[in-house]
Amino acid sequence: MPWNQDKFERALQTRRFGREAVFFQEIDSTNRWLLENEGRFHTAGATVIAEHQSAGRGRLGRHWEDVFGKSLLFSVLLRLNKLNSAPLGFIPLIAGIALAQTISETCENSPKGLQLKWPNDLLIDDKKVAGVLTESVTSKNKFCVVVGIGVNVYQDAAELPMATRLPASSLHLSGLTISSRENLLAQILFRFEKLYDLFIECRVQEIIQNWAAFSLSSRSRFAVKRGEEVIRGTYEGIGNEGQLLIRESNGNIQEIYSGEIVSETDRQRDSARG
Ligand code: BTN
């Protein structure tokens, strides 16, 4: 079904997020557009949505591919006072948590293998279904962060990119029933707004607890790539700045602020999640 902006607005239950919204049938990148046009918006949570991106941006300079009308592609504007809020490293984490909570709480047939991979890949049964790209701009004493989110919703196997770092999937291929993309976005923004309030109020421990519901279980073995270096060890959680904590075999805890998980050798998940 084509995107229906009225239907999205009717489904919205937020105070600010998504209340200012712009929709494009096609654009190069919603992140690029919002970074350049942030001055047009008055509220935190202004949202730009597209049916298709001709030059979708991914993390670490990668491309984000989509098929017209089959993804959820959007960017959310946040305006920050860096002195008062939680550390910026939590922004990608809260976006990922909002995605994971929405899927687990609102989709029929919510999957058991739903997992967040630091900092913000959303996996179902080890396949990536959504990604988050955070970019920022400073203008006239304002610090703006644009959080871009891409969710593969209705793609079939042949419509997914092949040459990706992680195998890709879609919500549809993972067996989930989605009421509509409009409702999905309204639900994501509802949770994102609540998590953003925790972020603004510096309630870091609550964010970390929310993250833990979808992350690797404690002491799982994994490896992370930081530049050219690969660090192996066990998962020790998330630090007070949103950084990944990994314990090496010699007992040292490494703090990873930028990098990506390259392998996981122990896939145990928190049994409480079923
Ligand atoms: C990743 O590499 O995992 C992040 C992908 C982020 C893609 C989204 S789609 C909407 C927004 N606009 C962009 O150009 N990129 C983000």
Side-chain angles (χ1 to χ4, degrees):
M1 294 284 281
W3 182 262
N4 182 328
Q5 187 67 12
D6 288 342
K7 184 173 176 180
F8 162 64
E9 286 170 13
R10 283 197 302 276
L12 206 55
Q13 300 166 38
T14 56
R15 283 174 287 121
R16 295 157 292 160
F17 279 39
R19 294 285 166 191
E20 286 188 286
V22 175
F23 168 72
F24 292 100
Q25 285 289 343
E26 177 169 342
I27 194 159
D28 53 346
S29 155
T30 54
N31 264 34
R32 194 277 311 153
W33 189 90
L34 191 50
L35 283 165
E36 288 180 16
N37 292 281
E38 54 81 19
R40 297 188 189 197
F41 301 99
H42 306 291
T43 52
T47 302
V48 179
I49 307 149
E51 276 291 44
H52 171 59
Q53 294 182 132
S54 54
R57 299 180 186 176
R59 281 186 72 227
L60 307 172
R62 300 183 180 114
H63 292 287
W64 183 262
E65 292 177 29
D66 69 85
V67 176
F68 194 96
K70 298 216 168 181
S71 301
L72 190 54
L73 308 165
F74 64 100
S75 299
V76 179
L77 177 66
L78 307 178
R79 293 191 194 284
L80 299 180
N81 177 343
K82 278 196 271 186
L83 298 179
N84 295 343
S85 58
L88 295 180
F90 281 103
I91 290 184
L93 305 194
I94 62 173
I97 298 166
L99 285 171
Q101 288 179 339
T102 302
I103 290 169
S104 87
E105 292 166 17
T106 71
C107 291
E108 280 180 46
N109 319 326
S110 171
K112 291 198 173 81
L114 182 65
Q115 188 178 45
L116 282 171
K117 188 170 192 172
W118 185 92
N120 48 29
D121 287 335
L122 184 76
L123 311 186
I124 298 179
D125 297 332
D126 300 333
K127 293 183 178 164
K128 179 164 169 170
V129 296
V132 180
L133 173 66
T134 304
E135 299 183 275
S136 59
V137 65
T138 307
S139 65
K140 293 187 202 142
N141 307 326
K142 288 180 302 181
F143 182 65
C144 299
V145 175
V146 166
V147 182
I149 299 182
V151 186
N152 298 330
V153 182
Y154 293 123
Q155 285 96 329
D156 290 324
E159 294 171 321
L160 291 163
M162 300 290 286
T164 48
R165 177 179 52 96
L166 291 166
S169 188
S170 67
L171 299 183
H172 160 70
L173 279 173
S174 308
L176 274 74
T177 311
I178 303 114
S179 57
S180 66
R181 288 181 300 154
E182 292 85 350
N183 195 44
L184 190 65
L185 178 55
Q187 295 287 345
I188 293 167
L189 292 176
F190 179 66
R191 288 163 180 78
F192 195 6
E193 182 175 83
K194 287 188 174 180
L195 288 155
Y196 182 64
D197 289 341
L198 295 182
F199 173 83
I200 292 291
E201 292 162 16
C202 243
R203 290 158 65 183
V204 162
Q205 288 310 318
E206 285 164 75
I207 298 175
I208 291 174
Q209 275 167 18
N210 279 294
W211 170 268
F214 301 102
S215 72
L216 289 171
S217 55
S218 186
R219 311 259 188 282
S220 295
R221 296 196 60 75
F222 71 104
V224 62
K225 196 163 179 225
R226 181 172 61 185
E228 290 307 306
E229 184 188 14
V230 176
I231 301 162
R232 290 188 173 75
T234 53
Y235 181 67
E236 292 291 320
I238 298 293
N240 283 339
E241 293 177 276
Q243 76 275 34
L244 178 66
L245 305 177
I246 178 167
R247 184 186 293 274
E248 294 180 290
S249 54
N250 61 9
N252 282 350
I253 294 195
Q254 289 269 3
E255 304 190 33
I256 311 293
Y257 288 84
S258 141
E260 61 184 357
I261 293 178
V262 285
S263 72
E264 293 159 37
T265 48
D266 179 353
R267 305 285 314 173
Q268 306 153 358
R269 294 193 181 92
D270 191 338
S271 55
R273 257 186 283 143

